[in-house]
Amino acid sequence: APSTYADLITLYQNGVRNVVASSGTAFTKPQLDLLKRYTNSLYFVFDSDSAGEKATDRAIELSLEEGFDLHIILLPKGEDPDSLVRNHGVKYFEMRRGEAVDFVDYLAEKLLANNPNTPQFKADTARQIIALISKVKDRFQHDFFISKLAQHLDLSENQVRILYNEKSNAETRERNTPREDEFINFSPPNESSQNENNNNAAERFEQETPTGESWALNLKELLPEEKMLLQIALTLPKYFTALIDKGVSEETFFTETGKLLFSIINDYVNEMNIIEALLESEEIDNRITQALIDILMEKEKPSENWILHDRSIQEINRKDMVNDILWRLDVRTIDLEIQEIKLKINNASPEQLNLLLSRQIELSEKKDKLITAKLLK
C-alpha cells in the first residue's frame, strides 16, 4: 500500500502486482473495509519523510482496529517506492519487503531514536505502544508483542505487563463506572482536585486518610537507596522476605514517602504481583500505584563499589545487593548526625561542646570501621 499512483505504477510495471495506492497520505477506514474483502495481511510502504511517518502511524492504528496482520516496509531516507525501484531495482525493493517489521518494532525504534533514555520516557513509550497492542483482536498475540516491547525498552516482561494490566484494568473500571446521570446527588470533582489528579506521581500532593490525618507523597525526596529497596520489595514476595530477614522495616527509610510506600507494599506482600493487586484495589489512591510503577520502571543501578569491581547488576547476588544498600544507609545516617553536630557546635556551651566533639569523634571512627570492613570484603 504505497501512497501515490506513480509508486503503484512503477511497482506494478516491475512485477509487484498485489499493490494499491492510498492516493495521498489520508488513509481511511473505507479503504481498509474494501481491502478486507481480498486480504488479511497488509504491507505499508509510505514515503520516508515526515508526512509518510504520520501516514504510517495513522494507518497502523486503523489497520489494527480492523484486524489486519500488519507489516511496515522501511525505506532509506529521502526515498519512495518509485525512486527506490528506479535507482536500485526491484530486487532491492523485494529485499526491503522481506525485512519488513511489525508495528511494535517500527514504533519503538522510531520513538527511541531521538528521545532521552529515561524511566519516564520508557513508561510513556510503553503506554503508547500498549494502547495499540490492545487493539489487536487476537489476544494470543499480545504476549508476543509485550515480550518484544520489553526487549526494545530494556525492561523486564513483568514491568511491561504491569503497564498492560494497568490499561486493561482502567478500561474495565471505565466500562463499569456508572454515567453521571446514574448517580443520585452526584457532585463532580472541583477544578483544583481534577488538576491534581493529572499531576505526575513524582509531584507532591496531600491526601486525607479516613482518620482525618494527612500525609504527603513526594518521589523527589526519595533517596537512591530507598528507591532500590522499594524496587526489590516490589519484584517478588521472596525478595521482600529477604529484606525483612535483613531487618528492613519502615524505620529503615529516612523519608516519609519511603516509609509510606514500604508500608503499603507490606500490606500486599502475599500477592505474587503486588502492582497488579494495587491496580485492582479500590482502597489505594491511583497516584500511589503510579508512584510505585514509576519506581519499578527505573533501572536498578549498583553502587559505585560494585562498579569498581566491574560487576553488572544482573550478576549481583540479591542478598549482597541488599547488604550494600543497608551499608550505604548506615554511612548516610552517620554523615547526617555529624552534620547536625557541626550545626550545634557553634552555639554550644563548653560542657555541651565537649559532649558534641566526643560524639563526632565516635561517629567518625564508626564510619571508618564501616568503610574499612567494606573494602576488606
Side-chain angles (χ1 to χ4, degrees), residues 12-26:
Y12 192 88
Q13 287 177 339
N14 285 272
V16 184
R17 300 300 169 86
N18 294 331
V19 57
V20 295
S22 62
S23 300
T25 56

Side-chain angles (χ1 to χ4, degrees), residues 337-338 340-346 348-366:
E337 189 173 347
I338 289 175
E340 290 178 5
I341 288 173
K342 289 180 178 178
L343 292 174
K344 292 177 181 178
I345 283 176
N346 294 330
S349 65
E351 184 178 347
Q352 290 174 328
L353 181 61
N354 287 332
L355 291 173
L356 290 172
L357 290 174
S358 296
R359 179 59 178 166
Q360 183 175 350
I361 292 172
E362 180 184 339
L363 289 170
S364 296
E365 290 176 348
K366 184 178 179 181

Side-chain angles (χ1 to χ4, degrees), residues 178-184 186:
R179 298 189 310 274
E180 181 174 334
D181 57 7
E182 293 176 333
F183 284 97
I184 298 174
F186 174 79

Side-chain angles (χ1 to χ4, degrees), residues 83-100:
S83 66
L84 188 77
V85 172
R86 291 179 183 277
N87 295 332
H88 305 285
V90 72
K91 287 186 177 180
Y92 184 69
F93 175 83
E94 293 287 3
M95 183 190 75
R96 286 282 179 170
R97 183 169 65 174
E99 297 172 349

